[in-house]
Amino acid sequence: DQQVKQNSPSLSVQEGRISILNCDYTNSMFDYFLWYKKYPAEGPTFLISISSIKDKNEDGRFTVFLNKSAKHLSLHIVPSQPGDSAVYFCAASSPGNTPLVFGKGTRLSVIA
Amino acid sequence: KAGVTQTPRYLIKTRGQQVTLSCSPISGHRSVSWYQQTPGQGLQFLFEYFSETQRNKGNFPGRFSGRQFSNSRSEMNVSTLELGDSALYLCASSPTGDTGNTIYFGEGSWLTVV
């Protein structure tokens, strides 16, 4: 029973274009969402987060959008760069000291 | 500020052996979580420790155990290793582990069971 789903295992985008990574969740108690980026043989690196009281959060080239009614969030990367090629994980947590629940990841390839 | 440090980075063990992995959290962080990553399975939560107490536990067999010391450093142990335990084991720390806390990962310990 996957509470956080990343339905696209992979995505290819041309350099300079927008990358959109999607994530769906089923648990309506989730109130905090994060995106992590992972290169091979390294640990995940925190990218950006959003609280359920917001619907958008920006940090440089990265923007996360949250649609609570659809239980959907997305990560936009503009413009995409070859160094963005990595696996991106969506994660969510519910109130209290509950552990983060991760999706299975989407592998992004940015082609020069 | 130093990041999360995990040792060893790589190790090979034989079926039936046991293994201990170590994690030093970011200074000041009191919550330490452990995750297992296998191909195609994302990150599966193992357990979380806060102030030397296990607060949360994932759906893993009792062969997987952990502990946290008074300086917040943590270890996890896997006994009677099976081939399916081959994975990347990730440790992460956060200030308190509460919602709204970002957790920061170490580089992981790659375990191969042969």
Side-chain angles (χ1 to χ4, degrees), chain A residues 2-15:
Chain A
Q2 263 192 285
Q3 297 185 70
V4 177
K5 298 179 186 179
Q6 293 178 257
N7 291 317
S8 299
S10 62
L11 175 68
S12 286
V13 171
Q14 276 202 310
E15 182 180 5

Side-chain angles (χ1 to χ4, degrees), chain A residues 30-33 92-98 100, chain B residues 96-102:
Chain A
F30 286 149
D31 67 347
Y32 189 60
F33 304 88
S93 71
S94 42
N97 51 44
T98 57
L100 286 183
Chain B
T96 64
D98 292 337
T99 192
N101 275 191
T102 298

Side-chain angles (χ1 to χ4, degrees), chain B residues 5-9 20-24 34 108-109:
Chain B
T5 305
Q6 291 187 246
T7 56
R9 288 293 318 278
T20 299
L21 308 177
S22 180
C23 173
S24 293
W34 288 89
S109 292

